[in-house]
Amino acid sequence: MRTYRELFGVAEFRVLFGATSLMVGAASVGSLALGTLAYAETGSPLVTAFVMFGGPLVRLVCSWFLLSLADLWRPRTSIALVAAIEAASFAAQAIPGLPLVARFGLLLVPWVLLSAFGGSTMALVADILPEGAFVFGRATINIAVGVMQIAGYGLGGALVLVFSTSEMFLGAAATALAVVVLVRLGLTDHPPRSTGRAVPRSRAVNRLLLGSPTLRPVYLALWVPNGLVVGCEALIVPYAGERAGFLFAATAVGMLAGDVAMGRFVPPAWRDRLVEPARLLLAVPWLLFFLQPGVVTACLLAAVASVGYCASLPLQERLITRTGADIRGHVLGLNGLGLMAMQGIGALVAGLVATLLGADAHAAGTAMSLMAVASVAVTLALTPGLRRSRADQPAAVLTLGSARA
């Protein structure tokens, strides 16, 4: 499967692509509205970073007990439930005069659910596509993410100047509700991938995956450099103010370009070789933000840097090829969990650094550069361990039986 015509010939993939597109668009508009509201009320880069990127930290706690539900529940039910809870959360955020503490509570509810079902969509992509097509399909889903982030943040950047945050939240809620309908009508009711009790199974598989000397460096390479760079992105609102939407859109443009190149045009034999260069590209342009570039230059730097996100595609391919189908939802859910948790940590650390440096635009630019330095250092440190998971290296395939053993 090498063409988009073949890929979109799979009806259920079209549904997943459409559902992902709508959910990312809704989340982008809602997140920008919440970040704008929080910064207007508090003037704090730390609080703004938390409300936009801190929710995944909840997944870090809950997933240790719930992550295996992605394999134990029916995929269609899981995906529809997540979209329904997102819709309810956005609708509640639209209540005028809601205290910021209550907004924090509403922000956390969907992330508790995602701690259980975060891997459902990507595992279903791997299930419905032919063998060897996962990277192509995953890259195309990433295109949906990139395009809708461009639309969501770009449109959100314009809407925030015209509409109230309550109106933006209601629009996001309506979009998420449309996803529920699309998923229920368009997806086949696939059976669960496995059976068992969620809590002991989740803990056993987590220990198996994180204890593997082959897969642990892969997970760390997926999580840490990315999360530190998201710390840079978490400071875009304090750095650019009302023009922040344009920088967010620029990062989405770069991510889109990288995913198209890696998923559609880079030969499989070259994917492994590009992991480290792409991870370095992800961080290096952010080093220049200590020079306080203007909005146009900042957008160019952010777009170039975000091309480096494409390194996650060959790394996720390694996760798929080194694990069995009976834990696929858990494997990809753990990746999403660690990624989002590290993004939350990176955002909070970046917000704290910017606050300590002065809590203004200049401080935000300096903090961005410091986070980029840390990302480069981690990428270089992880390079030796990643060699064990390359396609030309022998390694056992981990399964649920391995976890029980």
Side-chain angles (χ1 to χ4, degrees):
M1 182 174 286
R2 295 298 304 165
T3 68
Y4 289 111
R5 182 183 296 274
E6 292 175 323
L7 184 62
F8 283 97
V10 180
E12 288 187 285
F13 182 83
R14 294 198 301 269
V15 173
L16 289 175
F17 183 89
T20 301
S21 299
L22 292 173
M23 280 305 300
V24 172
S28 299
V29 172
S31 176
L32 186 59
L34 188 57
T36 301
L37 184 63
Y39 192 63
E41 290 187 9
T42 67
S44 170
L46 179 59
V47 173
T48 303
F50 177 78
V51 299
M52 293 188 71
F53 297 98
L57 293 176
V58 178
R59 288 178 65 178
L60 185 62
V61 177
C62 298
S63 66
W64 187 256
F65 307 100
L66 301 176
L67 194 55
S68 282
L69 286 174
D71 294 311
L72 301 178
W73 278 42
R74 296 178 180 274
R76 186 179 70 178
T77 301
S78 303
I79 297 169
L81 182 59
V82 171
I85 296 299
E86 288 275 13
S89 178
F90 283 135
Q93 292 281 9
I95 298 174
L98 195 67
L100 199 57
V101 173
R103 295 191 185 279
F104 287 163
L106 290 171
L107 178 70
L108 300 181
V109 172
W111 293 108
V112 173
L113 200 63
L114 283 170
S115 69
F117 303 123
S120 296
T121 298
M122 287 305 104
L124 188 56
V125 169
D127 290 344
I128 64 178
L129 294 182
E131 183 178 355
F134 174 76
V135 168
F136 189 23
R138 183 67 174 95
T140 305
I141 292 291
N142 283 356
I143 291 173
V145 173
V147 169
M148 294 312 296
Q149 282 184 340
I150 295 169
Y153 283 127
L155 181 62
L159 292 178
V160 76
L161 302 176
V162 179
F163 295 98
S164 68
T165 53
S166 292
E167 291 169 329
M168 294 173 68
F169 284 131
L170 289 175
T175 304
L177 191 60
V179 173
V180 178
V181 177
L182 177 63
V183 168
R184 293 297 297 179
L185 297 180
L187 289 182
T188 302
D189 191 16
H190 294 266
R193 296 179 193 86
S194 188
T195 59
R197 294 181 299 164
V199 174
R201 189 179 189 277
S202 296
R203 296 175 65 181
V205 179
N206 281 337
R207 287 194 297 266
L208 173 73
L209 297 175
L210 296 178
S212 167
T214 300
L215 294 186
R216 185 172 57 248
V218 178
Y219 277 120
L220 291 176
L222 281 162
W223 298 342
V224 183
N226 181 304
L228 292 169
V229 169
V230 167
C232 301
E233 297 177 8
L235 297 175
I236 285 178
V237 170
Y239 183 83
E242 291 183 346
R243 298 181 179 180
F246 300 111
L247 265 75
F248 281 121
T251 64
V253 169
M255 188 184 345
L256 171 63
D259 286 337
V260 170
M262 183 68 78
R264 178 66 179 87
F265 298 109
V266 175
W270 279 88
R271 289 173 185 159
D272 277 350
R273 304 178 190 178
L274 294 177
V275 168
E276 284 79 16
R279 274 289 179 249
L280 291 173
L281 178 63
L282 180 64
V284 168
W286 293 102
L287 296 173
L288 300 178
F289 272 72
F290 82 96
L291 298 174
Q292 308 297 310
V295 172
V296 174
T297 303
C299 286
L300 291 175
L301 291 172
V304 171
S306 296
V307 172
Y309 282 119
C310 69
S312 66
L313 294 172
L315 290 175
Q316 289 179 65
E317 184 177 35
R318 296 185 194 186
L319 294 179
I320 291 294
T321 58
R322 300 295 188 181
T323 56
D326 60 334
I327 59 173
R328 181 170 291 161
H330 192 125
V331 168
L332 295 173
L334 182 61
N335 172 52
L337 158 72
L339 177 61
M340 299 302 287
M342 189 59 211
Q343 287 177 349
I345 293 171
L348 291 176
V349 171
L352 179 60
V353 171
T355 299
L356 293 175
L357 292 176
D360 56 10
H362 186 275
T366 302
M368 288 174 173
S369 296
L370 293 175
M371 299 299 289
V373 169
S375 182
V376 170
V378 171
T379 294
L380 295 176
L382 289 173
T383 299
L386 282 176
R387 297 193 183 106
R388 292 191 289 269
S389 60
R390 288 179 179 173
D392 57 357
Q393 298 296 314
V397 175
L398 301 182
T399 66
L400 179 60
S402 302
R404 287 173 174 166

